[in-house]
Amino acid sequence: MGSTDHKDRGVRIAIDRGGTFTDCVGTLNGKNVVIKLLSEDPANYDDAPLEGIRRIMSHFEEREIPRGEALDTSKIDSIRMGTTVATNALLERKGEKMALVVTKGFRDCLVIGNQSRPKIFDLAIKKPDVLYEDVVEVDERVTLEDYAEDPERSLTKADVKAGTADVAKASLVMGLSGETVRILQRPEEKRIRDQLKSIFDKGIRSIAVCLMHGYTFPDHEALVGRIAREIGFDHISLSHELMPMIKLVSRATSVCADAYLTPAIKKYIAGFQKGFAGGLGTRNVLQQEGGKGARCEFMQSDGGLVDVEKFTGLKAILSGPAGGVVGYAITSYDEETRIPVIGFDMGGTSTDVSRYGEGRYEHVFETTTAGVTIQSPQLDINTVAAGGGSRLFFKNGLFVVGPESVGAHPGPACYRKGGPAAVTDANLFLGRLLPEFFPKIFGKNEDEGLDFEASKKVIQELTDQVNKETGKNMTLDEVAYGFLTIANEAMTRPIRSITEAKGHDSSKHRLATFGGAGGQHAVAIAEALGIKQILVHRYSSVLSAYGMALADVVDERQEPDSAVWKENSDVIEGLKAKMERLKEKSRSTLLDQGFEDSEIVFEEYNSQDWAFDKAFVNNHRYEFGFTLDDRDIIVDDVRVRGIGRSFRYQDKTVDQQLKEVKRQTVSDDKTHGKSQVYFEGGRLETPIYKLEDLSIGNVINGPAMLADGTQTIVVTPKAKALILETHVIIDLEKDSKDDSHKKESSEREADPIMLSIFGHRFMAIAEQMGRALQKTSVSTNVKERLDFSCAIFDSTGGLVANAPHLPVHLGSMSTCVKTQAKIWEGKLKKGDVIMSNHPSFGGTHLPDITLIMPAFNEKGDKILFYAASRAHHADIGGITAGSMPPHSRELFQEGASIESEKVVSEGKFNEERITELLYTEPAQYPGCSGTRCLADNLNDLRAQVSANQKGISLIEGLIQEYGEETVQFYMVNIQKNAELCVRQLLKQVYKGFEGRDLTAIDYMDDGSPIQLRVTIDPEKGEADFNFEGTGPQVYANINAPEAITFSAIIYCLRCLISEDIPLNQGCLKPITVRIPPKSLLSPSTGAAVVGGNVLTSQRVTDVIFKAFQACAASQGDCNNLTFGFGGNVSGQKEVKGFGYYETIAGGSGAGPDWEGTSGVHTHMTNTRITDSEIFERRYPVILRQFSIRKGSGGNGQHRGGDGVVRDIEFRIPMQVSILSERRVYHPYGLAGGEDAKCGLNIWVRRVQKTNPEKDIAAQGEHLPQQSDADYEERYINLGAKNSSPMKPGDRIIINTPGGGGWGKVGDEKVERERKDHTEAWRKGSHAAREDVALQI
C-alpha cells in the first residue's frame, strides 16, 4: 500500500463507515486484511468501526480479542476513518441543541432560505426544518459603501482596516475582501451578554454566529464569540472563521450545520476513544511516553485527512464518499497518459458519481445534503438515489426505480426480512449476483445467505402488474432486466451532468467502478456513456476505505477578495502577499501535526507566471464555448490547500501494467462453476471465476462472472476482462450496444422500458440546458434568482420535456414555439435562432424573451426538434426601470416587443439588430426608454443561445445513439403516456364529485371576476374548462395572454396527479379550453399584459384549485418589486443606469392533510430571492428586515402559511415600483378554514414637519419657509400597484399575503402519511437547481 516513516510500528487501519456496510482494511508488513460488516447491528455490537478494528487486531494478533476489551494502541500505527456520523445526524435531525446569532431583522433568514420550494408540484410544501432551537438578533449593522451596478464605477477608500483597534473610532473601514464597509450600528456589549445568557439558561451550549457582511468585516462576530466564551458555551461557530465567503443564507446554514454537528461528532469520537487503551491523535502520539498513542485522522469532504482533534461537522458531511474519490484517483489515474476517470461508487442506498482529470480533484463550494445547503470546499460528488436498495415500482405505464430505498433494515426481499423488491433482487434473480460469494449474514441467526425465492416472488408480483396494466406478455427476466436498465439510466444522468455540462466528452474517460454493487452495473453504465474501458480495483468493494489509507493530510485556508484583476499591477502583488500569509498559516498547522517541512506541499492552480486571467478565460471558453471579453475578471477568494504527504502509493499505474502485461486466454480449469445469467436477449450459460484463482495476464471473454467475497463483476457477451496486478480491466467492443431498438416505428408498440429511458433522457437534456444557462448568464435575475425555463419540443412545437424551472412557462412556451414554427416553416437553417416575446405570438409578458433553435436531420432538410429557453430580463425598456410598470395601459409602455426576429443566422450573433430591438426602438414611444441594462441583455441572450446549442447537441447525440425513427417514436409516445395519466385523473375526479360540474369564481383586486366551470366526460376521461363569466379586458396591465391559462391548467393537473409523470403537451390532449374572446384572459394585440403573467396567472391557478377543492388559496401574488434609474427617453439626455427586479415569497395554502408553509414561492413561480449580502453588494440599498409576517396565514384545522416582511432602504434617488395583488381580496380559506390576511405596501417617506404658526410668521416677513426644517417619517400606503421617486433614506416595506386555512378551527388535525422525508432533498453540487418531482 505504500511506505511509511514509522516502518511497521504497528497495524495501519483504514475504515469507511457507510450507510449499509462498514469496510475496514488493515495492513501490517505488506499484508492486507479486508473486513466488511453491517453498519448497524445492535444485537451484536454498538459501534461498527470499533468492531472492525477488533476483528483486524484479532487477525494480526492471532487471538480472539473479546468484545469490550480495550484495544492496545501501542500495536496500532494509525487509524484513518471516513464516517457518515455527520450525514446521518443531518438526515435524522439528531444533532446538538443550538442557537443562531444573527443581525437584527434577519431572524427568519434560514426559514425563508432562498424562498423556492423543493418540489414544484407538491401542494403540501415541505421545506427542510431549520437546525437551531432559538435565535438571538443582535442590534448591529454594517453595509458595503459602493455597489457593483454603479455605472460610474466609483470606489471609496478607507484607511482603517477591519480587525484592528482603530475600527472603534471609524465609520468607514476596509474589509478583508478589499471592499469598503460602512458601520451603521455598533453592537452593545451588555445587551449581547444578556441575550446570550438567556439562551445559556435554557440549556443551549452550542451557538452559530453569522452577521451581515461578517465575511469581510469580522469584528462584530468576534465580539459575540468572545462574550459567548466568557459565558461558558461549549461550542461556538463563527462564520468568518469557518467560511469567509459572501452569501448570508449559505454561510448561516453552514455555520448552523457546524454548531449542530460538531458536538455530535465530538461525542462520537469520545465514545470511540473509550474503546482503546492509550490515546488517539497527534497530541497523544507526541505526548505519550513509550509510544502508546496511535495517530487518528478523519477524512474531510474535500478529500483531505485531518487530525481527530480538528475534525468538525461542516467538513464531515461527505467524509465517506470522499475516500472513494481519493482511492480511485490515486489508483486509476496516470500522470503520463492523463486519461480522465469517472468514479462510479454504487452502494446499498445510493450511488455517488465524480470525476478526476487534469491531475487534480474537482472541488465545489456550495452543495446540498439533507436539504441543507453547505458552503465549504467539497469534492464534486453527486449522489443519485439509485443503489442496490432502491425500490422498484411500475407506475402510470412506466418502470420506476427509487428514490425510496429499502435501507439496511428491512433491506431487499432477499435479505430475509420481508422487504419489498429492490435493485439487488433484480440482480439476484437474473443471476448477476452470486449468493455463494455474498456474506452469510442474514436470517434469524445471521448465518444464512441471500434468499433467491424471495426475490423471485417480488419480481413475479411486478411482472403480473406490468402485464395486467399494459396488456403485454413480458417474462420475469424481461421485467427484472427492464428495472436494471432504468436504474442504470438514473445513474448515468448525473454522470452526464458532471462531464458534458462542463464541456468534457464522457466517451474520452475511463470508468472506475467501486462500491459493493458497482461491478454488476459497470458495463451497462459504460456502454450508455460511450466509455470503452472500465477499471475495477482489486479492493474496489472497499475502495473508500483503501482511499483513506492513501490520502494526504490537508489544511485548507481562504480569505475573501473583491479585486479586479489587472496584469502587472499592485493588485497582483497584494494577492501574492495574501497567498503567502495563508501558506504560512497552513504550513505551521501541518508542522504542529508532526510533518517535516520536506513533506509539506501546496496545491497550485494554473500558477505558471501567475497567469490566472488567461487560465480563467480558457476554462470559460472550454466549458461554455464563448468568452465575455468586455467584462472585468473579479478575484472573489484567495485559497490555499496545504498538503502533508503521508503514505506513498508505490504500485505501477494501470497504463504501465497494460504495456508490460503478457496476455493469455484463461484456461478452462480455472472455471469455478457455471450459471445461467440473463443478458439482453436471453439467458446464457456463463462461466464463474473466483478472482483469487486468476493470474496476472489472464484474458476472460464475456459472458463471464468474476467474484470474490466482497464483489461480483459482470462481464457481458461483447466485453472481455484482463487481470492486472492491481485491477481487473474490462474492455468493451466498439459499438457494442444492441441495435434492436432501431425498428421502423410502423411495426412496433411502445416498450414501457424504452419509454421510461426516453423520459429520463428528454428531461436530462432540458435540465442540462438550464444548467448551462445559469452558469453562462451574468444578470442577477438569471444567475442568482433562476428566473428562466428550458425545454425541448417536437417538430410541430409540442412540449416534450420541460425541466422543473418555472410553472408559468409550462404551456405558454409551446404556444410560442408552435407560432414561430409556422412563421419560419421552410426558411430556417442549421445554427439559426429565433427571438420572440410578443404576447400575441405565444409570449407571456415582454421581459420574458424566448429564444428558439431548430435541430435538423443529418441532411439538414427536415426539422426534428426545437430547443427553447425563456429568460426574464430585468430591464427591456418602457416607462419604468425594471420593465414591470404598475401603471402601464398599452403594450409599448412595457418595453421592447418582438414578434419574430432571427437574431442568430447560421451561428452568427446579430448584436447590432438586437441593440436596435432592445435599446433604440422602445425609446421612440412617448415617455419610454430603451433597456437600461443592454450589456446584461446581450450577455444573457448569448447564454440562452449557448443553452439551446447544448440542447441541440444532446438531442443529436440521442439520435445518433438510437436512430431518428426511434427518438421520434418515443417523443410521440411519452406525450401519449402523460395524456393517459390525465385521463385517469379526470375519471377519479368525476367519481369524487359524483358527476357534478366543478365551479369556482375569484376576483382580481380591481373587481374583475375570473370564473370557471369544469365539465368531465367520465367515459373518455376528458374535461371542458370553460371560463365563461370572466371579466372583460381591462385598461391596465393584468390582462393575461391565452398561453398563460394553458400553463396554469397544465400546472394544476400535474399537482393533482400525485405521481411523477412526464410533463408535456400530452397533459392538455384530453382538455378543451374555452376562453371568452375579448376577456382579460384573451386580450387584444396592443393590450398591456405585464401583470397578467405574474398576477392573473396566480388567480387562474387559485380558481382551478378552488373548483377541484384541492387546497386553500396561497398568497396568489408574486409581489413584483422593481427599482432603478437612467435610460434613453426620447427628447431627454441619456443617463446610464440599471434596473433591478425581484419577486417576493408569501404563505402557501393549507390542505386536507397538511399545514401551509411560510415564506415560500407558490404555484406559478419558483424563483429565488437574491441573497441579502449579494443584494447590498450589487445595488445601493440597505435591507433592513426580511422576516416572516407572523399571524398573516388563515386559521383553521390546518393553518395557512404566513407571508413575509421585506423592508428596503434606498441610498440614492431611485424610481421604485410595486406590482402586486391580494391587497383587497383575501386569499380564501376552504372547508371552513379562515381567509389569510391581505398584503400591504408601505412607503416610509421622510417629509418635512409642518408648523403652521411659523409658516404664517414667515409669510408676513417674506422669509423663506422653514429653512431649518425638521423631518419626520410618514408611513404611506402605496396600494397594490404604484410607482414613486424615492429619495436617500426612504424605504419600502412590503408585507406579503399569507395562505388560507383549511377546515374549521378546533377540528382534529389530519397528518398525511409522508414518504421518506429526505425524498425531496437532492444531494450534490447540482442539487440546488434540480427537483426530484420531474425525475421519472
Side-chain angles (χ1 to χ4, degrees), residues 598-764:
S598 59
E599 296 170 319
I600 297 172
V601 293
F602 290 95
E603 189 170 277
E604 306 276 359
Y605 289 93
N606 316 316
S607 60
Q608 298 167 341
D609 311 324
W610 265 68
F612 284 93
D613 54 337
K614 293 185 182 67
F616 174 78
V617 170
N618 288 339
N619 275 359
H620 195 283
R621 188 182 291 112
Y622 178 71
E623 200 165 317
F624 306 122
F626 68 93
T627 60
L628 300 169
D629 299 326
D630 55 336
R631 289 263 163 172
D632 286 336
I633 294 175
I634 308 285
V635 179
D636 216 30
D637 291 279
V638 177
R639 178 169 156 243
V640 156
R641 186 173 166 87
I643 296 169
R645 297 260 184 235
S646 40
F647 302 128
R648 297 279 49 78
Y649 180 68
Q650 293 178 329
D651 290 331
K652 286 179 179 169
T653 68
V654 169
D655 291 291
Q656 285 167 341
Q657 293 177 61
L658 281 171
K659 272 185 206 159
E660 296 166 12
V661 72
K662 293 190 169 42
R663 294 170 170 79
Q664 74 275 345
T665 305
V666 70
S667 57
D668 291 344
D669 62 348
K670 291 197 175 172
T671 309
H672 170 71
K674 293 204 168 163
S675 176
Q676 288 290 319
V677 181
Y678 186 88
F679 296 97
E680 195 160 6
R683 289 202 179 236
L684 296 172
E685 188 172 60
T686 305
I688 298 164
Y689 299 93
K690 283 173 101 167
L691 277 167
E692 58 261 38
D693 294 346
L694 298 171
S695 314
I696 293 167
N698 278 172
V699 175
I700 301 102
N701 291 311
M705 302 281 284
L706 315 180
D708 65 12
T710 59
Q711 64 186 332
T712 306
I713 301 167
V714 177
V715 185
T716 59
K718 291 183 177 177
K720 60 172 136 188
L722 167 66
I723 307 297
L724 298 180
E725 188 183 339
T726 57
H727 288 75
V728 176
I729 304 286
I730 302 173
D731 287 306
L732 277 63
E733 279 182 22
K734 284 197 169 63
D735 303 317
S736 63
K737 271 191 86 86
D738 177 53
D739 286 342
S740 61
H741 46 248
K742 295 190 181 175
K743 288 181 192 159
E744 289 301 311
S745 53
S746 56
E747 56 176 78
R748 61 170 171 194
E749 294 174 14
D751 173 359
I753 299 165
M754 291 299 287
L755 199 59
S756 306
I757 286 176
F758 275 102
H760 271 284
R761 294 300 283 276
F762 291 143
M763 187 59 72

Side-chain angles (χ1 to χ4, degrees), residues 158 167 270 288 314 458 502 563 671 815 914 1053 1097 1217:
V167 167
Q288 291 205 351
L314 184 63
V458 290
K502 291 186 177 175
T671 309
T815 313
I914 294 170
L1053 290 173
S1097 66
S1217 307

Side-chain angles (χ1 to χ4, degrees), residues 83 308 430 536 720 922 968:
T83 177
V308 60
L430 295 173
V536 189
K720 60 172 136 188
Q968 295 274 46

Side-chain angles (χ1 to χ4, degrees), residues 861-1110:
D861 60 1
K862 179 176 154 202
I863 293 174
L864 304 177
F865 275 92
Y866 291 94
S869 53
R870 176 173 281 180
H872 185 114
H873 289 248
D875 202 303
I876 52 155
I879 54 176
T880 60
S883 302
M884 296 286 288
H887 295 317
S888 53
R889 302 280 183 262
E890 307 285 352
L891 189 66
F892 70 78
Q893 296 174 319
E894 297 176 353
S897 63
I898 302 144
E899 293 177 353
S900 184
E901 194 80 35
K902 193 198 287 186
V903 290
V904 180
S905 296
E906 297 181 61
K908 190 169 181 349
F909 188 79
N910 190 345
E911 188 172 318
E912 193 180 324
R913 179 63 184 137
I914 294 170
T915 305
E916 278 174 21
L917 289 166
L918 296 182
Y919 187 70
T920 315
E921 291 181 7
Q924 294 167 1
Y925 293 96
C928 292
S929 161
T931 174
R932 298 157 186 86
C933 311
L934 181 63
D936 279 5
N937 296 134
L938 289 168
N939 287 324
D940 283 353
L941 287 169
R942 280 197 179 93
Q944 283 181 257
V945 171
S946 166
N948 287 357
Q949 186 59 59
K950 166 68 80 183
I952 298 293
S953 67
L954 292 171
I955 290 168
E956 285 169 351
L958 198 61
I959 289 169
Q960 213 174 347
E961 189 176 339
Y962 288 100
E964 185 185 314
E965 281 279 340
T966 300
V967 175
Q968 295 274 46
F969 177 77
Y970 280 102
M971 186 170 298
V972 172
N973 278 283
I974 202 86
Q975 294 183 40
K976 283 184 184 166
N977 178 268
E979 178 189 339
L980 194 70
C981 295
V982 172
R983 288 186 190 278
Q984 285 169 347
L985 166 79
L986 293 170
K987 287 174 185 176
Q988 286 165 3
V989 170
Y990 182 84
K991 281 184 196 159
F993 279 79
E994 297 171 346
R996 295 191 308 276
D997 281 1
L998 285 60
T999 58
I1001 187 167
D1002 204 345
Y1003 299 88
M1004 303 298 288
D1005 278 351
D1006 69 352
S1008 293
I1010 293 177
Q1011 192 163 348
L1012 172 66
R1013 175 177 293 275
V1014 181
T1015 308
I1016 297 172
D1017 177 338
E1019 299 302 313
K1020 294 180 183 166
E1022 291 179 355
D1024 184 272
F1025 279 65
N1026 191 338
F1027 287 90
E1028 195 60 50
T1030 294
Q1033 177 178 322
V1034 296
Y1035 190 52
N1037 60 24
I1038 57 166
N1039 303 297
E1042 287 190 4
I1044 286 173
T1045 301
F1046 286 100
S1047 284
I1049 292 171
I1050 278 196
Y1051 165 75
C1052 292
L1053 290 173
R1054 173 59 189 81
C1055 290
L1056 294 167
I1057 298 170
S1058 55
E1059 299 288 352
D1060 293 340
I1061 64 160
L1063 193 77
N1064 55 46
Q1065 210 59 35
C1067 292
L1068 284 176
K1069 277 267 173 66
I1071 307 294
T1072 305
V1073 182
R1074 301 181 198 279
I1075 298 173
K1078 302 178 184 174
S1079 69
L1080 79 133
L1081 299 183
S1082 182
S1084 57
T1085 302
V1089 295
V1090 75
N1093 188 53
V1094 288
L1095 305 177
T1096 315
S1097 66
Q1098 296 281 40
R1099 192 66 67 263
V1100 173
T1101 310
D1102 284 342
V1103 170
I1104 296 170
F1105 281 135
K1106 192 177 190 179
F1108 280 84
Q1109 295 287 296

Side-chain angles (χ1 to χ4, degrees), residues 503-554:
H504 307 301
D505 179 350
S506 57
S507 67
K508 295 199 164 60
H509 291 65
R510 284 171 165 157
L511 186 71
T513 173
F514 53 107
Q520 294 140 47
H521 294 259
V523 174
I525 298 287
E527 278 181 350
L529 296 166
I531 291 171
K532 301 293 177 281
Q533 196 169 62
I534 299 165
L535 312 180
V536 189
H537 193 270
R538 65 180 171 205
Y539 292 132
S540 75
S541 71
V542 294
L543 195 65
S544 288
Y546 192 67
M548 313 281 170
L550 301 173
D552 293 315
V553 175
V554 165

Side-chain angles (χ1 to χ4, degrees), residues 826-870:
K827 301 177 202 162
L828 293 177
K829 292 183 179 159
K830 205 169 179 174
D832 288 353
V833 179
I834 304 305
M835 174 159 104
S836 175
N837 71 346
H838 199 290
S840 302
F841 288 70
T844 42
H845 62 178
L846 298 183
D848 282 345
I849 299 180
T850 308
L851 261 54
I852 302 161
M853 192 172 189
F856 286 87
N857 62 358
E858 261 183 270
K859 287 183 192 163
D861 60 1
K862 179 176 154 202
I863 293 174
L864 304 177
F865 275 92
Y866 291 94
S869 53
R870 176 173 281 180

Side-chain angles (χ1 to χ4, degrees), residues 121 644 692 1283:
F121 300 115
E692 58 261 38
S1283 185

Side-chain angles (χ1 to χ4, degrees), residues 120 132 243 246 404 563 630 653 695 715 949 965 986 1185-1186 1199 1234:
I120 60 173
Y132 54 78
M243 207 59 224
I246 191 168
E404 298 93 334
D630 55 336
T653 68
S695 314
V715 185
Q949 186 59 59
E965 281 279 340
L986 293 170
Q1185 183 184 355
F1186 189 33
R1199 267 195 70 89
E1234 293 175 7

